[in-house]
Amino acid sequence: MKQRSFWKELPILIGIALILALVIKTFFVQAFSIPSGSMENTLRIGDRVLVDKFTPWFGAEPERGDVVVFQDPGGWLNDEPTQQSSNSFVRSLQDVLGFIGLMPSANEKDLIKRVIAVGGDTVECQGAGPVKVNGLALNEPYIFPGNTPCGDKPFGPVKVPDGRIWVMGDHRGDSLDSRFHQDQPGGGTVPVGNVIGRAFVVAWPISDWSTLPVPDTFDQKGLAAAMPFAPPAAGAAAALPVVWWLRRSRR
């Protein structure tokens, strides 16, 4: 049988690679760029993080301490301009690579924060802090040096509705998070359905490479009556080993 030449096979190989990249972005992992200092020093401006989009397909919900990427619940970004190159070729290339997930999209309108409380929790921060969840104080070593736990916005107590989360940036003095949106629908909380996934590693630049585990403070006994993880029956048997491994990697 006559073999095809490499140059004839190359477009097919490229097409397969692009389809695989698109599938991975849609269902498994996606890259996001950090646009602001709201999560410093955990995440710095320009860092690229990889986000696990797989486990939510099987019913897993955000947990306290997770760093999550989520869609704007409405009004959080206040129509901030997107960061696009002035060069039309570079802009087009960025759009294509962003669409298939090989680089962050220039049109992203998503946010990244840390989950502090989940549905059913009561969260508050009075005076200089600490932040309390269900009456237990959080020791937050990840807070930006020099910041207080409440920043300049004490709040609460707030009862987080079921199906929603309360999020805060690690840089409490430079994060317009749940504290600043209590006058909007949801009282500053974010619908779980808006969560795209959990950031689990800083992938770029290499000098900032690190994993993003859940801090020990969220493991303390009696912190909350957390709802047990219960994936839907369909596909649960196949999903449990993967979800178990991913959840262990948070610790």
Side-chain angles (χ1 to χ4, degrees):
M1 181 180 294
K2 185 178 179 181
Q3 291 184 336
R4 294 180 179 177
S5 71
F6 170 77
W7 295 110
K8 288 183 178 180
E9 289 186 345
L10 183 60
I12 298 174
L13 295 174
I14 293 175
I16 293 173
L18 292 176
I19 291 171
L20 287 175
L22 183 58
V23 169
I24 290 171
K25 172 203 170 182
T26 302
F27 297 104
F28 297 98
V29 175
Q30 186 172 351
F32 285 86
S33 178
I34 305 304
S36 73
S38 69
M39 282 295 293
E40 291 178 336
N41 280 328
T42 304
L43 301 172
R44 303 174 188 274
I45 297 174
D47 281 352
R48 266 58 169 179
V49 298
L50 298 183
V51 173
D52 162 31
K53 302 175 68 175
F54 179 67
T55 49
W57 284 89
F58 295 97
E61 294 190 354
E63 296 184 350
R64 302 171 202 85
D66 284 347
V67 175
V68 296
V69 172
F70 58 95
Q71 296 169 343
D72 185 352
W76 285 39
L77 289 174
N78 293 323
D79 298 322
E80 290 183 2
T82 55
Q83 297 180 352
Q84 287 189 312
S85 171
S86 57
N87 184 294
S88 59
F89 173 76
V90 173
R91 230 178 15 250
S92 299
L93 182 62
Q94 185 177 17
D95 287 343
V96 171
L97 295 179
F99 176 74
I100 62 177
L102 294 181
M103 72 175 294
S105 171
N107 297 313
E108 285 175 8
K109 283 291 187 178
D110 305 314
L111 300 100
I112 185 165
K113 307 288 180 190
R114 189 180 298 276
V115 178
I116 301 298
V118 298
D121 289 345
T122 298
V123 59
E124 63 181 308
C125 191
Q126 303 296 333
V131 173
K132 293 182 180 180
V133 176
N134 297 327
L136 291 182
L138 300 183
N139 174 29
E140 301 185 280
Y142 45 79
I143 291 178
F144 186 80
N147 282 186
T148 61
C150 303
D152 57 356
K153 192 74 171 178
F155 64 90
V158 175
K159 180 70 176 288
V160 181
D162 290 340
R164 304 183 77 94
I165 55 177
W166 180 273
V167 298
M168 298 174 70
D170 290 355
H171 193 338
R172 299 287 157 81
D174 188 26
S175 177
L176 297 179
D177 46 45
S178 289
R179 295 169 293 162
F180 294 88
H181 300 282
Q182 297 179 67
D183 58 341
Q184 296 177 348
T189 61
V190 177
V192 168
N194 281 40
V195 175
I196 295 169
R198 177 182 67 92
F200 64 94
V201 67
V202 181
W204 188 263
I206 297 299
S207 58
D208 287 349
W209 189 94
S210 64
T211 58
L212 297 169
V214 172
D216 292 341
T217 188
F218 294 96
D219 288 333
Q220 59 179 308
K221 292 182 179 179
L223 181 62
M227 292 179 292
F229 170 70
L240 279 172
V242 178
V243 174
W244 174 83
W245 182 84
L246 286 169
R247 286 168 68 88
R248 278 184 61 89
S249 71
R250 300 183 187 188
R251 300 291 185 244

